Amino acid sequence: MIRSLTRLNPRRMLLALLAVAAAAVVLAACSSSATSSSSGGSGGTTSGSPAAATGGSLKTATISGATVLTNAGGFTLYSFAPDTPTTSNCNGTCAQSWPPVTGPATASGVTGTFSTIKRSDGAVQATFDGHPLYTFAGDTAPGQNKGNGLNAAGGLWHEITTAGTAPAGSSTAGTGGGY
């Protein structure tokens, strides 16, 4: 037994090193993927989907002639007509397509009231002028507003404008108010 421990087979040693190297590459790839997904979701990057957006410092952008709120990554923020100032009505699969903006949020130079509500899952969601905030998974790049005017998940979705009204040319039929 001692003889087998002191005498290493070069082929086995090489295979063991290759296995360790492969495991390290896989682990690094998984770690990198999780970091990329997480930072993309926080709005800290400008590529990919805005999934699981976090609040923090929001910005404004002019999209299709309207000044709208965006997350830090430039992704448009939306409101959902069936929501109330204290309740989000977008949960489960709805929240997968329309990720809520979590945590408190502010935007420099924007007139309006930022606050938070508690979601049914216990998470804290940012609101603007009484409207819970969301991003849209269909917006794949900053500056897009593909969710504006959509009737999906049981109600109409509108981009959040800094003027507090629905942007010109947006669908307003059946809205619970345009924002």
Side-chain angles (χ1 to χ4, degrees):
M1 175 115 181
I2 293 176
R3 181 178 164 110
S4 67
L5 288 175
T6 57
R7 187 169 174 226
L8 297 174
N9 182 335
R11 181 177 282 166
R12 283 187 182 174
M13 180 72 95
L14 180 61
L15 287 174
L17 286 174
L18 288 173
V20 168
V25 168
V26 169
L27 198 62
C30 289
S31 173
S32 172
S33 172
T35 301
S36 172
S37 171
S38 171
S39 67
S42 72
T45 65
T46 58
S47 63
S49 163
T54 58
S57 290
L58 304 180
K59 301 189 302 184
T60 61
T62 300
I63 301 173
S64 301
T67 303
V68 301
L69 281 178
T70 69
N71 66 11
F75 287 90
T76 303
L77 300 184
Y78 298 90
S79 65
F80 186 41
D83 286 350
T84 71
T86 59
T87 306
S88 166
N89 288 301
C90 179
N91 299 291
T93 44
C94 174
Q96 291 174 0
S97 295
W98 300 90
V101 177
T102 58
T106 60
S108 179
V110 173
T111 302
T113 304
F114 289 94
S115 189
T116 59
I117 61 170
K118 187 164 274 204
R119 295 180 49 78
S120 63
D121 64 2
V124 173
Q125 183 173 2
T127 65
F128 177 68
D129 284 345
H131 305 290
L133 301 175
Y134 305 86
T135 56
F136 177 48
D139 290 343
T140 57
Q144 295 180 339
N145 63 346
K146 295 177 183 178
N148 191 41
L150 285 183
N151 189 350
L156 282 169
W157 293 88
H158 288 287
E159 60 193 0
I160 299 284
T161 67
T162 57
T165 59
S170 70
S171 170
T172 57
T175 70
Y179 334 107

